[in-house]
Amino acid sequence: GQQLNQSPQSMFIQEGEDVSMNCTSSSIFNTWLWYKQDPGEGPVLLIALYKAGELTSNGRLTAQFGITRKDSFLNISASIPSDVGIYFCAGDNTDKLIFGTGTRLQVFP
Amino acid sequence: DTEVTQTPKHLVMGMTNKKSLKCEQHMGHRAMYWYKQKAKKPPELMFVYSYEKLSINESVPSRFSPECPNSSLLNLHLHALQPEDSALYLCASSRNRVNTEAFFGQGTRLTVV
């Protein structure tokens, strides 16, 4: 089946640093979504992308829909302790959402 | 109201028990989903309902039985589960099957003993 690979698998950064993570696929997607999940909670939708090349921001978060439609990127600027969690990308192939493997983010003060 | 509400938050059940998970949304969404998530793994799709009709069953064992009584409610009936079924069960909804911006509930942490 389809797989979305996220990298890095985990990140340990200092508060105030910028963060970049990406998601790649062997298949084309029509929509890319980015979610954040805290332990024991459901994923929370951060950003949705609908067009190849689209760049969208939500506060300190910026995400891009790759030109090839096979990848997407998420950047977090000036990280803060509450950014800690697991970030999932998800691609929509018009049938269902496929989730990436996740990037675990730890922020140290 | 942009919430998807799931009950209960935690559930412990024996392998011979019958229990149900409940999910409710009042956003007027016409697509609703059940996902299963094991620790440190991404959510895995189980079922999709579109306009109260089951449209996708991802080859889920029959001991899991979904039900969509109306456009706001989604249930997951559990019977004769195995310990390996222990997981976080997530409900989600989206405007429809075409618009898949899914909003998730907080999940039910299920433990089968």
Side-chain angles (χ1 to χ4, degrees):
Chain A
Q2 289 177 307
Q3 282 193 337
L4 297 184
N5 295 310
Q6 277 185 250
S7 65
Q9 188 174 11
S10 59
M11 302 182 74
F12 299 84
I13 63 169
Q14 199 155 20
E15 184 177 356
E17 289 184 358
D18 297 343
V19 172
S20 291
M21 60 188 79
N22 67 71
C23 191
T24 59
S25 168
S26 56
S27 305
I28 288 173
F29 286 100
N30 299 316
T31 301
W32 284 95
L33 306 175
W34 284 93
Y35 288 88
K36 176 177 182 273
Q37 187 174 25
D38 292 330
E41 301 290 331
V44 174
L45 182 62
L46 300 173
I47 291 181
L49 302 158
Y50 300 103
K51 293 181 183 177
E54 178 182 355
L55 189 70
T56 297
S57 293
N58 178 6
R60 293 179 296 106
L61 278 59
T62 301
Q64 184 160 25
F65 192 141
I67 290 291
T68 65
R69 294 170 63 194
K70 292 183 179 181
D71 55 11
S72 182
F73 308 88
L74 177 70
N75 295 316
I76 305 173
S77 63
S79 58
I80 59 178
S82 62
D83 290 333
V84 166
I86 302 178
Y87 291 79
F88 288 104
C89 63
D92 169 21
N93 65 358
T94 72
D95 185 37
K96 57 191 176 187
L97 276 183
I98 309 292
F99 277 82
T101 48
T103 294
R104 183 179 299 269
L105 178 64
Q106 291 275 22
V107 179
F108 295 102
Chain B
D1 183 0
T2 57
E3 280 192 352
V4 176
T5 303
Q6 289 187 244
T7 55
K9 190 168 171 61
H10 301 277
L11 179 63
V12 179
M13 62 184 290
M15 289 187 282
T16 58
N17 291 161
K18 283 184 181 181
K19 295 287 185 183
S20 297
L21 309 185
K22 297 187 182 300
C23 175
E24 190 169 4
Q25 58 88 12
H26 295 289
M27 294 179 277
H29 288 176
R30 303 311 298 271
M32 296 187 77
Y33 312 82
W34 280 115
Y35 285 83
K36 174 182 176 180
Q37 187 178 25
K38 299 287 268 185
K40 299 185 180 180
K41 296 289 187 183
E44 294 179 15
L45 184 65
M46 299 174 72
F47 301 104
V48 179
Y49 272 83
S50 178
Y51 289 86
E52 296 97 70
K53 287 185 173 24
L54 183 64
S55 63
I56 292 181
N57 175 341
E58 290 285 293
S59 303
V60 179
S62 60
R63 57 186 184 269
F64 295 91
S65 175
E67 178 197 19
C68 190
N70 60 53
S71 60
S72 299
L73 294 174
L74 186 66
N75 299 322
L76 186 63
H77 303 298
L78 314 172
H79 174 54
L81 295 193
Q82 303 297 311
E84 58 265 29
D85 295 321
S86 299
L88 182 68
Y89 287 84
L90 295 162
C91 173
S93 71
S94 66
R95 194 170 300 162
N96 49 54
R97 283 288 309 282
V98 175
N99 183 326
T100 51
E101 280 187 40
F103 293 84
F104 283 81
Q106 63 184 5
T108 294
R109 173 68 62 189
L110 175 68
T111 303
V112 182
V113 297

